[in-house]
Amino acid sequence: MPKTSSVHPFRQSRYEPLQSQRRAFRIFGYYPGDSGFLHWSLVGVFLFHYWSQVQLCYWEFRHGWAKIREGEVFVALEVMTPTLSRVGALLKCSFLIAERKSLKKFLDKLVELHDQADENEKPIYKWVTYWSRQFTNFEQNFFLVTCLFFSLFPLGVMLFNSIMNPNNPRIFLLPTQVTLPYEYKYSPMFELTFLLMSYITFTPCFMLGGSDGLFIGVSLLVSSQFRLVQQQLENLEVEESLSEDVPAENKRILKQLKQIVQRHNQAIEMSQEMSSLFVPNVFTCYTIAAVKLGMACLIMSKIIRTAGSYMTIMQSFVEN
């Protein structure tokens, strides 16, 4: 398999727009642009993360199904909402893995265009690099803060209960609601289980941040090709030294126009290739978001009805 860049060896490339995405995927154990030893050395890490996410989805589904059988449908919806995010992350990474060879060739092409950029094109690539990093870092930090909240909140509740009610039995809360195949409500098994659940919960942050950031970064890089075409058209001027030599000037302009047309056609081909590679990811993203939005609406309707019942009771109490 070819190197990441045909212009510079790997680790020596000046390619920067996807550094944040590459870093996020490396934590997960997989990056579509890797090859050789770097790719195979992380297979074990990748398989562990993938297996742990599938296992956690299964445990959450078991807990949600148990709640459904008990008649607590809305509680089951709350339990299974994080499962959808995990399923979405797994599907996105699965699509990237399935298209790994084609995606790597596409990334290599973008690397080559970036490494061969001249001085006039560098400002556009710097703009792409900045916004690609900003989006990826924002999304990844957002997911990290969310997971941190779900990990610290149970700790706070357990600590508050132990301080305020020291004589009451100890409560055991995990970062996610699951039905585990073993008994964990005793020390040190609970502490180990809590650490394991927290670790597994944080993995989708890098899966989602890497996959979504990769799509945004590639989209910006492809769109930058059209901006470069626009820049070349704007810089197309008549040279005063050849203004009197009409045939020579026409020949020069025709040559530049051919280069612009060639680059424009290349940008169109890259857009089509990007579309074929990332359509499954985009479809998965919007489908999962639509399902989660529907579940959130159902949960909110339950909360509104409950709040309405309480308001009715309070109103009747005040009137009496």
Side-chain angles (χ1 to χ4, degrees):
M1 188 170 290
K3 295 180 180 179
T4 303
S5 173
S6 58
V7 181
H8 298 284
F10 188 73
R11 296 183 183 277
Q12 297 180 14
S13 174
R14 294 180 286 111
Y15 188 56
E16 296 180 354
L18 300 180
Q19 287 292 339
S20 299
Q21 294 87 329
R22 181 183 293 174
R23 192 181 308 113
F25 271 120
R26 290 275 172 74
I27 297 174
F28 173 57
Y30 168 79
Y31 177 67
D34 287 342
S35 61
F37 174 77
L38 189 60
H39 167 69
W40 292 108
S41 62
L42 296 174
V43 168
V45 179
F46 162 73
L47 291 177
F48 172 76
H49 285 316
Y50 218 83
W51 171 83
S52 63
Q53 291 304 312
V54 174
Q55 193 69 45
L56 184 56
C57 289
Y58 172 69
W59 290 335
E60 288 178 334
F61 178 79
R62 283 185 59 188
H63 188 75
W65 182 250
K67 292 297 181 181
I68 291 176
R69 296 183 64 179
E70 294 174 2
E72 301 179 3
V73 179
F74 291 97
V75 176
L77 292 177
E78 295 178 7
V79 172
M80 298 174 68
T81 299
T83 308
L84 291 175
S85 299
R86 265 180 272 280
V87 171
L90 290 171
L91 288 176
K92 289 180 181 180
C93 291
S94 298
F95 292 138
L96 294 178
I97 294 170
E99 298 289 343
R100 178 178 176 270
K101 292 184 178 180
S102 300
L103 184 58
K104 186 181 186 307
K105 292 179 181 178
F106 184 64
L107 293 177
D108 288 344
K109 189 184 301 183
L110 294 176
V111 169
E112 185 173 356
L113 289 174
H114 179 276
D115 290 348
Q116 291 179 340
D118 54 30
E119 293 297 328
N120 295 329
E121 298 174 351
K122 286 183 178 180
I124 294 179
Y125 280 114
K126 288 182 179 179
W127 178 86
V128 170
T129 301
Y130 174 79
W131 286 110
S132 177
R133 287 179 176 176
Q134 289 294 319
F135 176 84
T136 304
N137 293 335
F138 171 79
E139 184 172 11
Q140 189 169 318
N141 291 333
F142 173 79
F143 287 128
L144 286 173
V145 171
T146 303
C147 292
L148 188 64
F149 170 78
F150 281 105
S151 296
L152 294 180
F153 183 75
L155 288 176
V157 173
M158 290 186 291
L159 182 62
F160 178 82
N161 181 74
S162 62
I163 294 175
M164 301 301 296
N165 304 301
N167 297 325
N168 290 352
R170 180 184 177 185
I171 60 175
F172 299 90
L173 299 176
L174 294 174
T176 180
Q177 301 183 53
V178 293
T179 298
L180 298 175
Y182 59 89
E183 179 60 36
Y184 65 91
K185 295 183 178 180
Y186 63 92
S187 295
M189 184 58 68
F190 172 74
E191 286 76 11
L192 295 175
T193 303
F194 189 92
L195 291 175
L196 178 62
M197 292 295 107
S198 299
Y199 178 76
I200 298 176
T201 302
F202 274 85
T203 305
C205 300
F206 307 103
M207 299 169 68
L208 292 170
S211 58
D212 294 345
L214 184 65
F215 171 70
I216 294 298
V218 170
S219 299
L220 290 173
L221 283 169
V222 173
S223 65
S224 67
Q225 301 304 310
F226 292 99
R227 294 188 62 187
L228 292 174
V229 171
Q230 179 185 3
Q231 184 184 68
Q232 289 178 341
L233 287 172
E234 293 174 350
N235 295 335
L236 190 62
E237 298 177 353
V238 178
E239 293 186 3
E240 296 181 359
S241 59
L242 298 176
S243 59
E244 297 180 357
D245 191 354
V246 177
E249 179 64 11
N250 290 341
K251 186 176 181 180
R252 186 188 67 83
I253 294 178
L254 180 61
K255 181 180 179 181
Q256 291 185 356
L257 288 175
K258 287 182 178 179
Q259 293 176 351
I260 294 173
V261 170
Q262 183 179 3
R263 185 153 204 169
H264 184 263
N265 292 336
Q266 185 184 33
I268 293 176
E269 292 176 359
M270 293 174 65
S271 300
Q272 295 174 346
E273 189 174 357
M274 183 194 73
S275 176
S276 63
L277 289 172
F278 286 95
V279 160
N281 278 39
V282 176
F283 178 77
T284 301
C285 180
Y286 283 103
T287 302
I288 295 295
V291 175
K292 290 173 66 176
L293 183 61
M295 294 174 66
C297 290
L298 289 174
I299 296 172
M300 289 300 297
S301 65
K302 174 65 175 179
I303 295 175
I304 292 173
R305 285 200 300 269
T306 304
S309 301
Y310 281 124
M311 291 296 294
T312 303
I313 295 173
M314 291 296 295
Q315 185 177 2
S316 61
F317 177 77
V318 171
E319 291 177 354
N320 295 331

